[in-house]
Amino acid sequence: MAIKYGRPLESQVRVVPAKPQDAPRADALDLIHRPRRNRRTDWARRMVRENTLSANDLIWPLFLVDGDNVRIPVPSMPGVERISVDQAVRDAERAAALDIPCLALFPYTDPALRNETGSEALNPENLVCRTVQAIKKAVPDIGILCDVALDPYTSHGHDGLLADGVILNDETVDVLVQQSILQADAGCDIIAPSDMMDGRIGAIRQGLDDAGHDAIQIMAYAAKYASCFYGPFRDAVGSSTTLTGDKRTYQMDFCNSDEALREVELDLEEGADMVMVKPGLPYLDIVRRIKDTFSHPTFVYQVSGEYAMIMAAASNGWLDGEKAMVESLMAFKRAGADGILTYFAPRVAEKLKKGRLF
């Protein structure tokens, strides 16, 4: 029979002789599980990655100072500046462009305005209130978190009212409620009491609600430890030279862990919407315990001392600063944090905008 369309199929197939299989290596391990298979390639590592970091996880702290067109470097925090209101608006615009959802504001108060009672905290035209109003006018959709405590305003550098060397709890709470309402009136979105006075969350929640600010969120500094890692921050807000004594009668003992759970439970019962652990890296165990116990929005503050250590080591060539930045932030996510206050926020957001962290 004639072949109509060419050669038979068999004649078109090239037969390649099979190669004998290599003999098994005599020293090969008899393993069923080889975890390194999931780490062999970049795409595989990305596919099985357990935790990720996005711009949505970031809160950017800004230090404020009076003046116009002012940017003053903070020597102990390379890359961080005290900025005037107009420059804070510029940074808010930058944050919005980088998809950073929230800014945290901290004032450097002119020493001439500081006194024993921190009365400048209750001035509706103070630096924080003016900055909140300016940012909300220019960038209305960005969140603003305001610190509630008296240490930037007192001549003694403490977070509360002081009498005969003793911090007055209940009297301080009365002032903090007024300060919170003032900041909410200015347009603040999140009130963040960092003072560690007993009962202040419940009092502030009641005060805000009574003043018509029931939609304002509260992020409680619930587990704030008496730590040496705050030093550069105190330089930035100007309290390092004014602080008399220490803050161990109201900030937590860094030897304690169970106490943090009790503090968080109280703040949640009193109406906190979110809780915070401060400092960060030395307290990852606290972050994990709080998140596992309460399953509530949990934030962590990568404080000034942590930032300064990474920057100092990087500037001396002792480690890769960019990699250390990312690794430290991922540690917070791995520990269970829902968000991070960090001075690295704009740098890491820039990297995220370009598409890859590492």
Side-chain angles (χ1 to χ4, degrees):
M1 177 178 175
I3 299 172
K4 189 173 182 180
Y5 296 110
R7 293 177 296 167
L9 180 62
E10 291 83 351
S11 67
Q12 300 178 44
V13 176
R14 183 185 176 198
V15 178
V16 179
K19 292 182 179 179
Q21 291 186 350
D22 294 335
R25 285 176 44 199
D27 60 344
L29 299 174
D30 184 16
L31 298 179
I32 295 175
H33 301 290
R34 289 185 179 270
R36 286 185 58 194
R37 283 193 285 257
N38 286 341
R39 301 195 288 264
R40 284 183 59 249
T41 59
D42 176 70
W43 65 262
R45 291 190 296 272
R46 287 187 285 123
M47 191 170 66
V48 301
R49 188 160 289 150
E50 298 173 25
N51 296 282
T52 59
L53 181 71
S54 77
N56 295 329
D57 299 314
L58 305 173
I59 297 176
W60 182 8
L62 300 179
F63 293 113
L64 310 174
V65 69
D66 272 311
D68 294 308
N69 197 31
V70 174
R71 301 190 81 98
I72 303 171
V74 179
S76 54
M77 299 179 70
V80 174
E81 302 165 309
R82 296 181 190 138
I83 56 177
S84 52
V85 174
D86 57 308
Q87 296 300 303
V89 171
R90 285 185 54 190
D91 281 357
E93 292 169 342
R94 181 186 177 195
L98 292 172
D99 299 321
I100 296 172
C102 188
L103 303 173
L105 305 183
F106 300 94
Y108 172 86
T109 304
D110 187 328
L113 297 175
R114 298 170 187 253
N115 57 32
E116 285 287 314
T117 61
S119 60
E120 181 65 10
L122 303 184
N123 177 5
E125 296 298 321
N126 67 27
L127 182 56
V128 168
C129 291
R130 287 186 282 113
T131 305
V132 171
Q133 292 165 350
I135 290 175
K136 279 299 183 181
K137 182 177 180 180
V139 194
D141 292 330
I142 200 162
I144 298 180
L145 177 153
C146 284
D147 175 65
V148 172
L150 299 183
D151 53 322
Y153 305 100
T154 56
S155 53
H156 46 71
H158 279 284
D159 297 45
L161 302 177
L162 188 67
D164 299 323
V166 176
I167 299 296
L168 305 177
N169 190 95
D170 296 9
E171 294 85 344
T172 296
V173 169
D174 288 341
V175 178
L176 300 179
V177 171
Q178 297 175 60
Q179 183 185 12
S180 300
I181 294 170
L182 197 71
Q183 292 174 344
D185 288 343
C188 170
D189 301 290
I190 303 174
I191 294 297
S194 64
D195 56 285
M196 291 298 288
M197 298 296 118
D198 295 338
R200 89 274 202 216
I201 300 301
I204 290 172
R205 181 73 276 162
Q206 187 64 56
L208 289 172
D209 292 354
D210 290 347
H213 292 303
D214 58 297
I216 300 298
Q217 298 160 275
I218 295 178
M219 180 188 292
Y221 284 64
K224 182 179 180 180
Y225 285 84
S227 171
C228 69
F229 288 95
Y230 305 146
F233 175 94
R234 290 172 182 164
D235 292 342
V237 299
S239 64
S240 58
T241 57
T242 61
L243 180 62
T244 56
D246 57 49
K247 301 188 177 186
R248 289 183 292 177
T249 66
Y250 49 100
Q251 294 180 357
M252 285 179 52
D253 184 343
F254 57 74
C255 301
N256 295 349
S257 175
D258 291 345
E259 183 185 10
L261 300 186
R262 294 195 293 271
E263 287 281 2
V264 169
E265 185 175 22
L266 286 170
D267 285 354
L268 291 175
E269 288 177 351
E270 291 177 20
D273 302 287
M274 300 164 277
V275 295
M276 185 200 301
V277 177
K278 183 181 180 183
L281 283 177
Y283 298 87
L284 294 179
D285 60 316
I286 307 301
V287 177
R288 182 77 268 167
R289 289 194 69 187
I290 289 172
K291 187 62 179 179
D292 287 346
T293 302
F294 298 102
S295 299
H296 217 78
T298 303
F299 289 74
V300 63
Y301 200 142
Q302 185 180 44
V303 299
S304 59
E306 299 171 63
Y307 172 87
M309 287 193 301
I310 292 174
M311 293 297 291
S315 68
N316 280 283
W318 297 335
L319 51 72
D320 184 316
E322 292 293 301
K323 290 181 179 178
M325 170 185 73
V326 173
E327 188 174 339
S328 66
L329 295 176
M330 284 305 307
F332 299 128
K333 293 296 293 180
R334 196 176 63 246
D338 297 290
I340 309 157
L341 288 83
T342 176
Y343 305 100
F344 287 121
R347 286 175 58 182
V348 73
E350 290 278 7
K351 291 174 73 70
L352 287 164
K353 202 73 171 178
K354 294 174 182 177
R356 292 287 293 275
L357 277 179
F358 42 82

